[in-house]
Amino acid sequence: MALSSPTTGLLPAEFDEILALAEDTGAALAPCAADVDAGRSTGHETYGVLRDAGLLGLLVPREAGGAGLGFAAYSRVLAVLGAHNGAAALGFNMHNVAIGSLCESAGTPLPPAAEAFRSWLFDEVVHGRKLFASATSEAGSGAKLRGVRTSYRRSAGGDYVISGEKSFVSLAGVADYYVVAARAEGTEGSGEVSHFVVAADDPGVSFGEVHSLSAMYGTSTAGMVLDAVTVPRSRLFLGVEGMSLYKLVREPHWMIAGYTGAYLGIAEAILRFTTEHVAASPRRAGSPVLQRELGRMSARLAAARALVAEAGARVDAARGSTEANAAVHAAKYVVGETGPALAQDAVRICGSAAVSRTLPLERLLREASFASVMPAKPEECLEYLGKAALGVNLYDATAFDW
C-alpha cells in the first residue's frame, strides 16, 4: 500500500489505497478514544496522527499535492475514521469544513490576490501540514452567519482589525489557523459577513478552557477571544468582503453535511459492536428474534449510507443545485435520526454491555446523540426540505434562517 510521503505529503493516487490509509489511520486513532472521552487525555495526539498520515490534504487538488477528493469520496473516508474514533473524525472534519469550499474552486480562474491566497493555503496544508479550523459559533446565535457579532475594521495601513468572541470553536489550541467569520463594524443584522484566516499565535488571540461535554471531548472545543487581532489583507478569504453568507446559501453542503460521514461512521461502529456481541454467543446468534433485530439495524444503516452517498454524488455532479442542497439536508437529518435509533436497538440487544464504561458501546451511544446538536439541526433540515418541496426560492438569503 502506498502511504503518504513524509516529505512531500503526497497521498495515494487510487481511492482504494486512500480508504486503506484511512483504515490504518483509524486503527491508530482507536486506542485514544476511551482515554480522551474520559478526560484522561486531551486528544491532541490524535491530530498528530492525522498530520503524520498526510490526510490533511485530502481535499486539496492533486496538482497542488493533495488527493483532490470530492464530497462523496471525502464522506466515505470520514466514515472510516468515525467508525474508529468519532471525536477525532469530527475534529478532522472541522479542518475540511474550513478549507472545503476553497478546494472546490480549484481550476477556476481567480483575481491575482485570490489566486495568491489559494496557493498559499494549499501550500500550508500540503507541505506545511498545517491544521485549519472554523470559528463561527457565537453565544445566542450559534453558527448562524446572520447573527455574527464579531466585527472588523480597516486600519490606517490597510490591514483588518478583528474583535469579538466565539463560543464553540473546535480544535481550540490545536489548529494552526482559524477561519473566523466577522462583519464590518456598523453592519449588524445584515448578510454581509466575511471570513478571515487568523493564526493561533496572532497577538490578541486566546482560548478559554475546553468545554466539559458529555461526549466529543476530543474535539477540543472552547471559547475564543479576538482582542483587536490584526490580520493582513492577504488573509481575507479569497480577497472578497461580505460574500460569505451568500456563498453558504448557494452551496451549504460543507456547513450542513460535512459532519454526516463522521456520524455515519459512529452508527457503523454501533452496529459492528452489537453484531459482535450477539455473534460471541452461539445461542444468541442462532436466535431468529435477534437475527431480525440485527437485520432491522442493518437495513436502517444501509438506507442512511445510501442517502449520504447520493448526497455526495449530487454535490459532485451539480454543486449548488436545488437537488444537491436538498439531498445534503436529507442526509444530515436521516443520519442524525439513524444513529440514536441504532443506539436504542443496541441497548435492548446488548443489555448491561451498553452501560459499562469498560466497553466502547456506552461512549458510542452518547456520541451518536450529538448529531442533532450540529448544524443543521433536525427541525432546520426538515424546514429546508419542506420549502424545497413547495418550490420556495432557497437561493434567497431571507427564505431560510441562515
Side-chain angles (χ1 to χ4, degrees):
M1 179 177 61
L3 301 181
S4 65
S5 164
T7 56
T8 67
L10 292 177
L11 287 155
E14 298 299 323
F15 183 57
D16 285 348
E17 292 182 323
I18 291 176
L19 284 177
L21 173 59
E23 183 66 41
D24 288 346
T25 305
L29 294 171
C32 305
D35 284 345
V36 173
D37 179 71
R40 294 188 293 268
S41 168
T42 63
H44 291 190
E45 67 274 14
T46 61
Y47 301 104
V49 172
L50 290 162
R51 287 183 201 260
D52 292 343
L55 292 178
L56 299 187
L58 280 180
L59 303 179
V60 175
R62 176 65 60 175
E63 57 270 23
L69 295 192
F71 195 70
Y74 167 71
S75 296
R76 289 185 63 187
V77 171
L78 195 62
V80 170
L81 296 173
H84 287 284
N85 189 319
L90 278 172
F92 177 57
N93 178 66
M94 295 311 299
H95 164 78
N96 293 294
V97 165
I99 69 172
S101 62
L102 185 69
C103 294
E104 289 172 339
S105 75
T108 301
L110 298 174
E115 190 69 60
F117 173 85
R118 183 167 62 184
S119 297
W120 168 80
L121 188 143
F122 288 169
D123 185 66
E124 287 290 275
V125 171
V126 173
H127 299 108
R129 297 205 173 187
K130 297 297 174 59
L131 186 65
F132 282 69
S134 177
T136 298
S137 295
E138 297 184 3
S141 60
K144 306 288 189 183
L145 288 185
R146 196 178 292 279
V148 164
R149 295 186 299 277
T150 298
S151 64
Y152 67 88
R153 58 180 173 81
R154 296 293 293 273
S155 69
D159 294 332
Y160 294 97
V161 181
I162 306 173
S163 297
E165 295 185 17
K166 301 295 182 180
S167 55
F168 280 83
V169 177
S170 294
L171 304 183
V174 182
D176 302 288
Y177 294 106
Y178 299 84
V179 179
V180 174
R183 63 173 64 254
E185 289 182 348
T187 64
E188 291 76 7
S190 76
E192 298 180 4
V193 178
S194 306
H195 277 88
F196 302 86
V197 176
V198 173
D201 57 1
D202 280 340
V205 174
S206 61
F207 300 97
E209 291 187 7
V210 172
H211 294 310
S212 178
L213 304 174
S214 61
M216 302 303 178
Y217 178 72
T219 58
S220 191
T221 300
M224 177 183 190
V225 174
L226 300 110
D227 184 8
V229 177
T230 299
V231 174
R233 183 169 179 79
S234 61
R235 285 205 247 136
L236 168 65
F237 214 82
L238 282 179
V240 180
E241 291 185 51
M243 295 302 293
S244 295
L245 175 61
Y246 306 107
K247 172 74 170 174
L248 172 62
V249 169
R250 179 72 187 181
E251 299 175 1
H253 51 283
W254 283 113
M255 178 66 76
I256 301 309
Y259 303 99
T260 55
Y263 283 104
L264 182 63
I266 292 169
E268 300 263 12
I270 291 173
L271 177 58
R272 183 185 306 162
F273 180 94
T274 307
T275 302
E276 292 173 352
H277 180 80
V278 172
S281 166
R283 181 183 62 81
R284 289 169 63 83
S287 165
V289 173
L290 290 181
Q291 290 169 357
R292 287 193 290 269
E293 290 282 1
L294 290 175
R296 181 184 297 108
M297 293 176 72
S298 297
R300 283 176 169 171
L301 184 57
R305 191 187 299 120
L307 188 53
V308 171
E310 179 188 357
R314 286 183 179 272
V315 170
D316 289 344
R319 187 173 71 248
S321 66
T322 301
E323 294 77 13
N325 294 347
V328 297
H329 279 83
K332 171 61 169 62
Y333 174 76
V334 170
V335 169
E337 294 289 298
T338 299
L342 295 187
Q344 291 180 354
D345 293 338
V347 169
R348 185 171 61 253
I349 294 170
C350 298
S352 59
V355 294
S356 171
R357 293 300 297 267
T358 64
L359 297 173
L361 183 57
E362 187 271 342
R363 182 185 74 253
L364 294 169
L365 303 183
R366 287 183 283 110
E367 291 178 343
S369 67
F370 265 59
S372 62
V373 176
M374 302 296 189
K377 293 179 172 57
E379 65 274 13
E380 294 168 341
C381 290
L382 294 177
E383 180 185 346
Y384 190 97
L385 290 167
K387 287 181 174 179
L390 291 169
V392 174
N393 178 15
L394 287 165
Y395 296 130
D396 178 353
T398 64
F400 192 73
D401 184 14
W402 298 102

